[in-house]
Amino acid sequence: MTQRSVRHRAVTLRQVAARAAVSRQTVSNAINAPHRLEPGTLAKVIKAIDDLKYRPNRSARSLSTGSAGLIGYCIPQRSVGYANSMMDSFLHALSAAMEAVGRHVLLFTAPPGASGLAMYADLIAQQAVDAFVLSDTERDDPRHRWMSERDIRFVSFGRTWPKTGAEPGSWVDVDGAAACSTLVEGLYALGHGRIGFVGRSGRLGAAEDRRRGWRDACVRRGLPVARMSVACAGDTVAHGERAAHALLDRPDPPTAIMALSDVFALGVMRAVTQRGARPGIDVAVTGFDDTPLAAAVTPGLTSVRQPVAEIAATALRLLESPPGETEGVLLPATIISRASADINPANLSLPIYGSTPVVHPDRQENGT
């Protein structure tokens, strides 16, 4: 016996309207703006939708709340071979925070900058999401202004540093400048008078913020900054390795190198080893994000840990604030000191350089 699958024609809005004996606009209001309808009319439309098994591009929850229950999040584009486990942790924490209040995260991809706005517009036009969480923010990121002008709800993990005016929406960020400033202070206390920086070219706001913290602290301490930084064009271990070689080839090479990320720091440690030197002894090395590799490499990598769970919880709180209210929240990071740059918290003047605590895992475990 041959079995044939029967494809049923999708139920239309017109059919639902006929079944409920209302206009198509009334059906649309029941789906998109249920607060506009009388309870009896809304109940009649919902019954027709259920009877005909009509399913718009919204969850069933939208019929009573006018909300899709989905928050859009664009997965940043990364170089091949690069894995940002910190952002993976943030996405996990964000999903958990949203699910705790009955929402979910819708993942999508889009080109960076203005060229990606069409994807955001399409999701809004389809009523697929209620709001967005933005990350990987750039200077004057066009997404924020575009959404603000259209009254689209969003919250940003990261600032846009507009040239004029205030940030165009609510945001939560980590004080990367204060963390890097504290790293410089800690390295200076260890006796380092030449501290290099491996950063990232482009318009990524977090990269500029961290470099600013490094530069301002070096200037404050009278340390050289000219020819002491390299901006990588990519974001892989190999890029960090090449940048470290460029710094170490200079006539007065740095005795300590701060890297924008743990990935870059791993490349720096590799370059130091290739030159017959020892990371943490001959050249101090620090990273950022405190990814799992920071504790796995030898020597252990001193890195900056971001409060991922608190960032996600704050993003959710800002999204649920009343429409029209905007707020910016700057959270402190924590320096995790390991053997690659054995920073001692007792040597730091933390009140001067922000509220960036320093933790040494070994000392904690040993009770010292």
Side-chain angles (χ1 to χ4, degrees), residues 260-292:
L260 178 73
S261 67
D262 287 354
V263 173
F264 283 168
L266 186 61
V268 172
M269 293 175 73
R270 182 183 294 177
V272 170
T273 302
Q274 289 170 352
R275 303 170 84 94
R278 297 162 296 177
I281 298 176
D282 301 309
V283 180
V285 181
T286 69
F288 207 106
D289 288 336
D290 195 37
T291 56

Coordinates of all heavy atoms in Angstrom, one line a residue, residues 260-292:
L260 N 44.3 42.5 25.1 CA 42.9 42.8 25.1 C 42.0 41.6 25.5 O 40.9 41.8 26.0 CB 42.5 43.3 23.7 CG 41.1 43.6 23.4 CD1 40.7 45.0 24.1 CD2 40.8 43.7 21.9
S261 N 42.5 40.4 25.2 CA 41.7 39.2 25.4 C 42.6 38.0 25.8 O 43.8 38.1 25.6 CB 40.9 38.8 24.2 OG 41.8 38.4 23.2
D262 N 42.0 37.0 26.4 CA 42.8 35.8 26.7 C 43.4 35.1 25.5 O 44.4 34.5 25.5 CB 41.9 34.8 27.5 CG 41.7 35.2 28.9 OD1 42.2 36.3 29.4 OD2 40.9 34.6 29.6
V263 N 42.6 35.2 24.4 CA 43.1 34.7 23.1 C 44.4 35.3 22.7 O 45.4 34.7 22.3 CB 42.0 34.8 22.0 CG1 42.5 34.3 20.7 CG2 40.8 33.9 22.4
F264 N 44.4 36.7 22.7 CA 45.6 37.4 22.4 C 46.7 37.1 23.4 O 47.9 36.9 23.0 CB 45.3 38.9 22.4 CG 44.6 39.4 21.2 CD1 44.1 40.7 21.1 CD2 44.5 38.6 20.0 CE1 43.5 41.2 20.0 CE2 43.8 39.1 18.9 CZ 43.3 40.4 18.9
A265 N 46.4 37.0 24.6 CA 47.4 36.7 25.7 C 48.0 35.3 25.4 O 49.2 35.2 25.7 CB 46.7 36.7 27.0
L266 N 47.3 34.4 25.0 CA 47.9 33.1 24.7 C 48.9 33.2 23.6 O 50.0 32.6 23.6 CB 46.8 32.1 24.3 CG 47.2 30.6 24.1 CD1 47.8 30.0 25.3 CD2 46.0 29.8 23.6
G267 N 48.6 34.0 22.6 CA 49.6 34.3 21.5 C 50.8 35.0 22.0 O 51.9 34.7 21.6
V268 N 50.6 35.9 23.0 CA 51.7 36.6 23.6 C 52.6 35.7 24.3 O 53.9 35.7 24.2 CB 51.2 37.7 24.5 CG1 52.4 38.4 25.3 CG2 50.5 38.8 23.7
M269 N 52.0 34.8 25.1 CA 52.8 33.8 25.9 C 53.6 32.9 24.9 O 54.8 32.5 25.2 CB 51.9 33.0 26.8 CG 51.3 33.8 27.9 SD 50.1 32.9 28.9 CE 51.2 31.8 29.8
R270 N 53.0 32.5 23.8 CA 53.7 31.7 22.8 C 54.9 32.4 22.2 O 55.9 31.8 22.1 CB 52.7 31.3 21.7 CG 53.3 30.4 20.7 CD 52.3 30.1 19.5 NE 51.1 29.3 20.0 CZ 50.1 29.0 19.2 NH1 50.0 29.5 18.0 NH2 49.1 28.3 19.7
A271 N 54.7 33.7 21.9 CA 55.8 34.5 21.3 C 57.0 34.6 22.3 O 58.1 34.5 22.0 CB 55.3 35.8 20.9
V272 N 56.6 34.8 23.6 CA 57.7 35.0 24.6 C 58.4 33.7 24.7 O 59.7 33.7 24.8 CB 57.0 35.3 26.0 CG1 58.0 35.2 27.1 CG2 56.4 36.7 25.9
T273 N 57.7 32.5 24.7 CA 58.4 31.2 24.8 C 59.3 31.0 23.6 O 60.4 30.4 23.8 CB 57.3 30.1 25.0 OG1 56.5 30.4 26.1 CG2 58.0 28.8 25.1
Q274 N 58.8 31.3 22.4 CA 59.6 31.1 21.2 C 60.9 31.9 21.2 O 61.9 31.5 20.6 CB 58.8 31.6 20.0 CG 57.6 30.6 19.7 CD 56.7 31.2 18.6 OE1 56.8 32.4 18.2 NE2 55.7 30.4 18.2
R275 N 61.0 32.9 22.0 CA 62.2 33.7 22.1 C 63.1 33.3 23.2 O 64.1 34.0 23.5 CB 61.8 35.2 22.2 CG 61.0 35.7 21.1 CD 60.4 37.1 21.4 NE 61.3 38.1 21.0 CZ 61.4 38.8 19.9 NH1 60.5 38.5 18.9 NH2 62.2 39.7 19.7
G276 N 62.8 32.2 23.8 CA 63.6 31.6 24.9 C 63.4 32.3 26.2 O 64.2 32.1 27.2
A277 N 62.4 33.1 26.3 CA 62.1 33.7 27.6 C 60.9 33.0 28.3 O 60.3 32.1 27.7 CB 61.7 35.2 27.4
R278 N 60.7 33.4 29.5 CA 59.7 32.7 30.4 C 58.5 33.6 30.7 O 58.8 34.6 31.4 CB 60.3 32.1 31.6 CG 61.4 31.1 31.4 CD 62.3 30.9 32.6 NE 63.0 32.1 32.9 CZ 63.8 32.3 34.0 NH1 63.9 31.3 34.8 NH2 64.4 33.4 34.2
P279 N 57.3 33.3 30.3 CA 56.1 34.2 30.7 C 56.0 34.1 32.2 O 56.1 33.1 32.9 CB 55.0 33.5 30.0 CG 55.5 32.7 28.9 CD 56.9 32.2 29.4
G280 N 55.8 35.3 32.8 CA 55.6 35.4 34.2 C 56.9 35.6 34.9 O 56.9 36.1 36.1
I281 N 58.0 35.4 34.3 CA 59.3 35.6 35.0 C 60.1 36.6 34.2 O 60.5 37.7 34.7 CB 60.1 34.3 35.0 CG1 59.4 33.2 35.9 CG2 61.5 34.5 35.6 CD1 60.0 31.9 36.0
D282 N 60.3 36.4 32.9 CA 61.1 37.4 32.1 C 60.1 38.4 31.5 O 60.5 39.6 31.4 CB 61.8 36.6 30.9 CG 62.8 35.6 31.4 OD1 63.6 36.0 32.3 OD2 62.7 34.4 31.0
V283 N 58.9 38.0 31.1 CA 57.9 39.0 30.6 C 56.6 38.6 31.3 O 56.1 37.5 31.2 CB 57.8 38.9 29.1 CG1 56.7 39.8 28.6 CG2 59.1 39.1 28.4
A284 N 56.0 39.6 32.0 CA 54.7 39.4 32.6 C 53.6 39.5 31.5 O 53.8 40.3 30.5 CB 54.4 40.4 33.7
V285 N 52.6 38.7 31.6 CA 51.5 38.7 30.6 C 50.1 38.7 31.3 O 49.9 38.0 32.3 CB 51.6 37.5 29.7 CG1 50.5 37.5 28.6 CG2 53.0 37.4 29.0
T286 N 49.2 39.5 30.8 CA 47.9 39.5 31.3 C 46.9 39.4 30.2 O 47.2 39.9 29.1 CB 47.5 40.8 32.2 OG1 47.5 41.9 31.3 CG2 48.6 41.0 33.2
G287 N 45.7 38.9 30.5 CA 44.6 38.8 29.5 C 43.4 39.5 30.0 O 43.4 40.3 30.9
F288 N 42.3 39.1 29.3 CA 41.0 39.7 29.7 C 39.9 38.7 29.4 O 39.9 38.1 28.3 CB 40.7 41.0 28.9 CG 39.9 42.0 29.6 CD1 40.4 43.2 30.2 CD2 38.5 41.8 29.7 CE1 39.6 44.1 30.8 CE2 37.7 42.7 30.3 CZ 38.2 43.9 30.9
D289 N 38.9 38.6 30.3 CA 37.7 37.7 30.2 C 37.8 36.5 31.1 O 36.8 35.9 31.3 CB 37.4 37.3 28.8 CG 36.8 38.5 27.9 OD1 36.3 39.4 28.5 OD2 36.9 38.4 26.7
D290 N 39.0 36.1 31.5 CA 39.2 35.0 32.4 C 38.4 33.8 31.9 O 37.6 33.1 32.5 CB 38.7 35.3 33.8 CG 39.2 34.2 34.8 OD1 40.3 33.7 34.7 OD2 38.4 33.9 35.7
T291 N 38.7 33.4 30.6 CA 38.2 32.2 30.0 C 38.8 31.0 30.6 O 39.8 31.1 31.3 CB 38.4 32.3 28.5 OG1 39.8 32.4 28.3 CG2 37.7 33.4 27.8
P292 N 38.2 29.8 30.3 CA 38.8 28.6 30.9 C 40.3 28.4 30.6 O 41.0 27.8 31.4 CB 37.9 27.5 30.3 CG 36.6 28.1 30.1 CD 36.9 29.5 29.7

